[in-house]
Amino acid sequence: MKSTVALLAMLFTSPALALAEFGEAGPAQPPAGSRPESGDEQALREMDRRLLEAVIKGDRSFFESLLTDDAIITDRNGRVTTKAEALKTFQPLPDLKFALAREDVRVHIHGDAAVLSARSVGTVQAGSQTIKVDERTTDMYARLGGRWRLLAGHTSDIPAERTEAKIDPKIYDQYVGEYQLTPSVILLITNEGGRLMTQAMSQGKPSGSKSELLPSSETTFFTQGQAGEMAFVRDGGGRVTHLVIRGSGQEIQVIKVK
């Protein structure tokens, strides 16, 4: 399990920082009413708790013993850190105060392999600045030599809730239509009772569920819980000609064909 926030990752180069999330972490508890956990599930939850504690306290020995020699640690930017690289800069972080909680911890075991996924929410206090954290981590373990070892881990940010702008929904009718990405892939935009909806179509059939587009302005829209945005573009006469999907530093143009 390895994460903090992107801002901290920019300020510090230590791979160990990318693992730090909690000050004092209590045992992660399964959801109320769930089935009883096996000994292996309990062991993995405890392993996750101890890893978080080890990073904060700078317990290099536990960190080193948990990771396999060929462990792959991938951050939210796609950068891969090896075990050897992480150990070079492993150190406690006394100047940061963590007020975070682990939520929705899921453990799936398949023989001698296991996946642990969890959401981390809260704040990191860096001096007078408070940095919000909301992310999900997914770690892969293997039972080697009779104990669980960490093989790989990955962190993804969970986009913050965005504020919807107040606009006249009558404008939605101007955006309704079919937008072509490829000859067989169409993005269908509809107005359903004053809600602007989008759905991908592949070879004339729905490909995935509908999503609501919420306005950040009269021309730019977003989907709650997702990164990126979609902007409708007009020509000199005011006619909508295409839309632009923006995300991950890229722009994709999709031409309106109907």
Side-chain angles (χ1 to χ4, degrees), residues 167-179 189-197 218 221 232 234 240 256 258:
I167 69 171
D168 187 348
K170 291 180 180 179
I171 200 172
Y172 293 169
D173 287 336
Q174 300 176 29
Y175 301 139
V176 168
E178 297 182 5
Y179 296 75
I189 305 293
T190 56
N191 183 353
E192 300 183 9
R195 300 170 64 206
L196 195 64
M197 308 296 292
E218 287 192 349
F221 295 77
F232 293 91
R234 302 174 185 273
V240 176
K256 186 175 184 181
K258 185 183 296 186

Short mmCIF file of all heavy atoms in Angstrom, two decimals, residues 167-179 189-197 218 221 232 234 240 256 258:
data_model
loop_
_atom_site.label_atom_id
_atom_site.label_comp_id
_atom_site.label_asym_id
_atom_site.label_seq_id
_atom_site.Cartn_x
_atom_site.Cartn_y
_atom_site.Cartn_z
N ILE A 167 -27.16 27.05 -14.97
CA ILE A 167 -27.40 27.55 -16.32
C ILE A 167 -28.82 27.17 -16.74
O ILE A 167 -29.47 26.33 -16.11
CB ILE A 167 -26.37 26.99 -17.33
CG1 ILE A 167 -26.59 25.48 -17.54
CG2 ILE A 167 -24.94 27.26 -16.87
CD1 ILE A 167 -25.74 24.91 -18.67
N ASP A 168 -29.27 27.78 -17.82
CA ASP A 168 -30.60 27.49 -18.34
C ASP A 168 -30.55 26.15 -19.08
O ASP A 168 -29.87 26.01 -20.10
CB ASP A 168 -31.05 28.60 -19.29
CG ASP A 168 -32.49 28.45 -19.74
OD1 ASP A 168 -33.08 27.37 -19.52
OD2 ASP A 168 -33.03 29.42 -20.32
N PRO A 169 -31.27 25.12 -18.60
CA PRO A 169 -31.22 23.80 -19.24
C PRO A 169 -31.79 23.78 -20.66
O PRO A 169 -31.63 22.80 -21.38
CB PRO A 169 -32.06 22.92 -18.30
CG PRO A 169 -32.92 23.86 -17.55
CD PRO A 169 -32.13 25.13 -17.40
N LYS A 170 -32.44 24.89 -21.07
CA LYS A 170 -32.96 24.95 -22.44
C LYS A 170 -31.83 24.85 -23.47
O LYS A 170 -32.07 24.45 -24.61
CB LYS A 170 -33.76 26.24 -22.65
CG LYS A 170 -35.06 26.30 -21.86
CD LYS A 170 -35.79 27.61 -22.11
CE LYS A 170 -37.09 27.67 -21.32
NZ LYS A 170 -37.81 28.96 -21.53
N ILE A 171 -30.63 25.22 -23.05
CA ILE A 171 -29.50 25.19 -23.97
C ILE A 171 -29.10 23.75 -24.32
O ILE A 171 -28.43 23.50 -25.32
CB ILE A 171 -28.30 25.95 -23.37
CG1 ILE A 171 -27.31 26.35 -24.47
CG2 ILE A 171 -27.59 25.11 -22.30
CD1 ILE A 171 -26.20 27.26 -23.97
N TYR A 172 -29.54 22.79 -23.49
CA TYR A 172 -29.15 21.40 -23.71
C TYR A 172 -29.59 20.89 -25.08
O TYR A 172 -28.90 20.06 -25.69
CB TYR A 172 -29.74 20.50 -22.62
CG TYR A 172 -29.18 20.72 -21.24
CD1 TYR A 172 -29.78 20.14 -20.12
CD2 TYR A 172 -28.05 21.52 -21.04
CE1 TYR A 172 -29.27 20.34 -18.86
CE2 TYR A 172 -27.54 21.73 -19.76
CZ TYR A 172 -28.15 21.13 -18.68
OH TYR A 172 -27.66 21.34 -17.42
N ASP A 173 -30.73 21.35 -25.56
CA ASP A 173 -31.23 20.88 -26.86
C ASP A 173 -30.25 21.16 -28.00
O ASP A 173 -30.23 20.44 -29.00
CB ASP A 173 -32.59 21.52 -27.16
CG ASP A 173 -33.71 20.95 -26.31
OD1 ASP A 173 -33.56 19.79 -25.84
OD2 ASP A 173 -34.70 21.65 -26.09
N GLN A 174 -29.45 22.19 -27.83
CA GLN A 174 -28.48 22.54 -28.87
C GLN A 174 -27.32 21.53 -28.93
O GLN A 174 -26.63 21.44 -29.94
CB GLN A 174 -27.93 23.94 -28.63
CG GLN A 174 -29.00 25.03 -28.65
CD GLN A 174 -28.43 26.38 -28.31
OE1 GLN A 174 -27.25 26.66 -28.55
NE2 GLN A 174 -29.26 27.25 -27.73
N TYR A 175 -27.14 20.79 -27.86
CA TYR A 175 -26.04 19.83 -27.80
C TYR A 175 -26.47 18.41 -28.13
O TYR A 175 -25.63 17.53 -28.35
CB TYR A 175 -25.42 19.84 -26.40
CG TYR A 175 -24.90 21.20 -25.99
CD1 TYR A 175 -25.07 21.67 -24.69
CD2 TYR A 175 -24.24 22.02 -26.89
CE1 TYR A 175 -24.60 22.91 -24.30
CE2 TYR A 175 -23.76 23.27 -26.52
CZ TYR A 175 -23.94 23.71 -25.22
OH TYR A 175 -23.47 24.94 -24.84
N VAL A 176 -27.77 18.17 -28.17
CA VAL A 176 -28.29 16.83 -28.44
C VAL A 176 -27.87 16.37 -29.84
O VAL A 176 -27.90 17.14 -30.80
CB VAL A 176 -29.83 16.82 -28.31
CG1 VAL A 176 -30.42 15.53 -28.86
CG2 VAL A 176 -30.23 17.02 -26.85
N GLY A 177 -27.48 15.11 -29.94
CA GLY A 177 -27.13 14.57 -31.25
C GLY A 177 -26.14 13.42 -31.14
O GLY A 177 -25.89 12.89 -30.05
N GLU A 178 -25.59 13.04 -32.28
CA GLU A 178 -24.61 11.96 -32.35
C GLU A 178 -23.24 12.53 -32.74
O GLU A 178 -23.13 13.31 -33.69
CB GLU A 178 -25.05 10.90 -33.37
CG GLU A 178 -26.35 10.21 -33.00
CD GLU A 178 -26.74 9.14 -34.01
OE1 GLU A 178 -25.95 8.88 -34.94
OE2 GLU A 178 -27.84 8.57 -33.85
N TYR A 179 -22.23 12.14 -31.99
CA TYR A 179 -20.88 12.62 -32.21
C TYR A 179 -19.99 11.41 -32.52
O TYR A 179 -19.94 10.46 -31.74
CB TYR A 179 -20.36 13.36 -30.97
CG TYR A 179 -21.15 14.62 -30.66
CD1 TYR A 179 -22.43 14.54 -30.08
CD2 TYR A 179 -20.63 15.87 -30.93
CE1 TYR A 179 -23.16 15.69 -29.79
CE2 TYR A 179 -21.35 17.03 -30.64
CZ TYR A 179 -22.61 16.93 -30.07
OH TYR A 179 -23.32 18.07 -29.79
N ILE A 189 -25.58 12.06 -27.26
CA ILE A 189 -25.94 13.07 -26.28
C ILE A 189 -27.45 13.28 -26.32
O ILE A 189 -28.01 13.54 -27.39
CB ILE A 189 -25.23 14.41 -26.54
CG1 ILE A 189 -23.71 14.21 -26.62
CG2 ILE A 189 -25.60 15.43 -25.48
CD1 ILE A 189 -23.05 13.81 -25.33
N THR A 190 -28.12 13.16 -25.18
CA THR A 190 -29.57 13.29 -25.13
C THR A 190 -29.98 14.25 -24.00
O THR A 190 -29.22 14.46 -23.05
CB THR A 190 -30.25 11.92 -24.89
OG1 THR A 190 -29.72 11.33 -23.69
CG2 THR A 190 -30.00 10.99 -26.06
N ASN A 191 -31.17 14.82 -24.15
CA ASN A 191 -31.75 15.66 -23.10
C ASN A 191 -32.93 14.89 -22.53
O ASN A 191 -33.95 14.69 -23.20
CB ASN A 191 -32.21 17.00 -23.69
CG ASN A 191 -32.77 17.94 -22.63
OD1 ASN A 191 -32.94 17.57 -21.47
ND2 ASN A 191 -33.06 19.17 -23.03
N GLU A 192 -32.79 14.43 -21.29
CA GLU A 192 -33.83 13.61 -20.68
C GLU A 192 -34.42 14.35 -19.49
O GLU A 192 -33.90 14.30 -18.38
CB GLU A 192 -33.24 12.26 -20.26
CG GLU A 192 -32.66 11.49 -21.45
CD GLU A 192 -32.13 10.11 -21.08
OE1 GLU A 192 -32.38 9.67 -19.93
OE2 GLU A 192 -31.50 9.48 -21.94
N GLY A 193 -35.50 15.08 -19.77
CA GLY A 193 -36.19 15.82 -18.72
C GLY A 193 -35.34 16.89 -18.08
O GLY A 193 -35.39 17.08 -16.86
N GLY A 194 -34.54 17.58 -18.89
CA GLY A 194 -33.70 18.64 -18.34
C GLY A 194 -32.38 18.15 -17.80
O GLY A 194 -31.66 18.90 -17.12
N ARG A 195 -32.03 16.91 -18.11
CA ARG A 195 -30.73 16.35 -17.71
C ARG A 195 -29.98 15.97 -18.98
O ARG A 195 -30.48 15.22 -19.81
CB ARG A 195 -30.90 15.12 -16.82
CG ARG A 195 -31.64 15.39 -15.52
CD ARG A 195 -31.97 14.09 -14.81
NE ARG A 195 -30.77 13.38 -14.40
CZ ARG A 195 -30.70 12.06 -14.23
NH1 ARG A 195 -31.76 11.30 -14.48
NH2 ARG A 195 -29.58 11.49 -13.83
N LEU A 196 -28.77 16.50 -19.14
CA LEU A 196 -27.96 16.20 -20.30
C LEU A 196 -27.22 14.90 -20.05
O LEU A 196 -26.44 14.78 -19.10
CB LEU A 196 -26.97 17.33 -20.57
CG LEU A 196 -26.30 17.33 -21.95
CD1 LEU A 196 -27.34 17.53 -23.05
CD2 LEU A 196 -25.23 18.42 -22.03
N MET A 197 -27.47 13.91 -20.91
CA MET A 197 -26.93 12.57 -20.71
C MET A 197 -26.01 12.18 -21.87
O MET A 197 -26.18 12.64 -23.00
CB MET A 197 -28.06 11.55 -20.60
CG MET A 197 -29.14 11.88 -19.58
SD MET A 197 -28.53 11.91 -17.87
CE MET A 197 -28.18 10.15 -17.62
N GLU A 218 -21.69 27.25 -19.63
CA GLU A 218 -22.69 26.96 -20.65
C GLU A 218 -22.16 26.03 -21.73
O GLU A 218 -22.95 25.42 -22.46
CB GLU A 218 -23.21 28.25 -21.28
CG GLU A 218 -24.12 29.05 -20.37
CD GLU A 218 -24.84 30.15 -21.12
OE1 GLU A 218 -24.47 30.42 -22.29
OE2 GLU A 218 -25.78 30.74 -20.54
N PHE A 221 -18.77 20.72 -19.56
CA PHE A 221 -19.50 19.83 -18.68
C PHE A 221 -18.55 18.77 -18.10
O PHE A 221 -17.49 18.50 -18.64
CB PHE A 221 -20.63 19.13 -19.45
CG PHE A 221 -21.70 20.09 -19.91
CD1 PHE A 221 -21.49 20.90 -21.03
CD2 PHE A 221 -22.91 20.18 -19.24
CE1 PHE A 221 -22.46 21.79 -21.46
CE2 PHE A 221 -23.89 21.07 -19.67
CZ PHE A 221 -23.66 21.87 -20.78
N PHE A 232 -18.37 21.69 -25.65
CA PHE A 232 -19.03 21.76 -26.94
C PHE A 232 -18.52 23.00 -27.68
O PHE A 232 -18.39 24.08 -27.10
CB PHE A 232 -20.55 21.83 -26.76
CG PHE A 232 -21.13 20.56 -26.21
CD1 PHE A 232 -21.27 20.39 -24.83
CD2 PHE A 232 -21.52 19.53 -27.05
CE1 PHE A 232 -21.80 19.22 -24.31
CE2 PHE A 232 -22.05 18.35 -26.53
CZ PHE A 232 -22.19 18.19 -25.16
N ARG A 234 -18.69 25.59 -31.16
CA ARG A 234 -19.57 26.12 -32.21
C ARG A 234 -18.75 26.74 -33.34
O ARG A 234 -17.60 27.16 -33.14
CB ARG A 234 -20.50 27.18 -31.63
CG ARG A 234 -21.38 26.71 -30.48
CD ARG A 234 -22.14 27.90 -29.89
NE ARG A 234 -22.90 27.53 -28.71
CZ ARG A 234 -24.14 27.04 -28.73
NH1 ARG A 234 -24.76 26.89 -29.90
NH2 ARG A 234 -24.77 26.72 -27.61
N VAL A 240 -23.36 24.05 -33.28
CA VAL A 240 -22.44 23.11 -32.61
C VAL A 240 -21.86 22.15 -33.65
O VAL A 240 -22.60 21.45 -34.34
CB VAL A 240 -23.17 22.33 -31.50
CG1 VAL A 240 -22.23 21.30 -30.88
CG2 VAL A 240 -23.70 23.28 -30.43
N LYS A 256 -19.69 16.21 -34.57
CA LYS A 256 -21.15 16.01 -34.56
C LYS A 256 -21.60 15.64 -35.96
O LYS A 256 -21.35 16.37 -36.93
CB LYS A 256 -21.85 17.28 -34.10
CG LYS A 256 -23.36 17.09 -33.92
CD LYS A 256 -24.01 18.34 -33.33
CE LYS A 256 -25.50 18.09 -33.07
NZ LYS A 256 -26.18 19.29 -32.53
N LYS A 258 -24.93 14.18 -36.49
CA LYS A 258 -26.41 14.16 -36.58
C LYS A 258 -27.00 14.93 -35.42
O LYS A 258 -26.47 14.87 -34.30
CB LYS A 258 -26.92 12.73 -36.55
CG LYS A 258 -28.42 12.61 -36.76
CD LYS A 258 -28.89 11.17 -36.66
CE LYS A 258 -28.30 10.30 -37.76
NZ LYS A 258 -28.87 8.93 -37.73
#
